[in-house]
Amino acid sequence: MIAKIVKGKGFKGVINYVLDKAKQTELIAANGVRLKSRESIIRSFVAQTTRLAKDCCIY
């Protein structure tokens, strides 16, 4: 299978792609991510990136 590479602008598109039943994808692991709903997964990713962004740039 050859995949088409598409550049997105956020986590929402990634989560919607992974959880789409028609695409037959599988979520293998989720460490530190709330898996209750699509919205909670997206919020978890956004919260982690904002926290990491603050931590990485402190000198």
Side-chain angles (χ1 to χ4, degrees):
M1 180 173 99
I2 299 174
K4 180 181 177 185
I5 309 267
V6 178
K7 182 179 179 183
K9 295 183 181 179
F11 294 111
K12 182 179 179 181
V14 173
I15 300 304
N16 286 333
Y17 179 84
V18 169
L19 297 179
D20 187 6
K21 301 232 186 254
K23 304 233 188 288
Q24 297 180 349
T25 57
E26 182 181 351
L27 184 60
I28 297 171
N31 189 8
V33 177
R34 296 181 203 102
L35 299 176
K36 183 176 180 181
S37 66
R38 288 180 193 263
E39 291 78 21
S40 66
I41 295 170
I42 294 166
R43 281 193 301 265
S44 294
F45 273 107
V46 171
Q48 287 183 17
T49 51
T50 54
R51 187 183 75 236
L52 290 174
K54 290 177 185 177
D55 293 342
C56 80
C57 299
I58 299 173
Y59 296 100

